[in-house]
């Protein structure tokens, strides 16, 4: 049996609370990969009005999402 991979996905197209349908195809792809491998998603969003950074982490099974 092969070793489990740890895959990092960096994407600005990923569902958020404000835009739940944005990048939902990427979310479905990530869910399929997480069925057999460890996956970390880093969701990047740029906003010129933001002066500080807030990182939220959500983990479920093999999937860790950083917003």
């Amino acid at each position: 049996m092969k070793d489990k991979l740890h895959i990092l996905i960096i994407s600005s197209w990923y569902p958020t609370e404000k835009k739940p349908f944005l990048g939902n195809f990427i979310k479905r792809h990530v869910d399929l990969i997480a069925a057999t491998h460890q996956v970390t998603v880093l969701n990047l969003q740029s906003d010129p009005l933001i002066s500080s950074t807030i990182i939220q982490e959500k983990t479920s099974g093999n999937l860790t999402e950083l917003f």
Side-chain angles (χ1 to χ4, degrees):
M1 182 173 183
K2 291 185 177 183
D3 290 337
K4 188 183 288 190
L5 299 176
H6 190 160
I7 300 167
L8 172 63
I9 297 176
I10 302 171
S11 178
S12 61
W13 277 37
Y14 200 75
T16 63
E17 290 181 9
K18 292 182 181 180
K19 297 181 181 179
F21 298 107
L22 177 69
N24 60 358
F25 60 95
I26 294 174
K27 172 67 170 134
R28 290 193 308 263
H29 186 83
V30 165
D31 289 339
L32 288 172
I33 297 170
T36 55
H37 299 286
Q38 183 68 36
V39 179
T40 300
V41 176
L42 178 57
N43 181 13
L44 302 174
Q45 299 176 23
S46 63
D47 188 339
L49 302 176
I50 294 178
S51 60
S52 64
T53 303
I54 299 171
I55 299 175
Q56 297 176 3
E57 181 176 337
K58 178 181 170 187
T59 301
S60 175
N62 288 334
L63 175 60
T64 300
E65 298 168 303
L66 303 172
F67 299 96

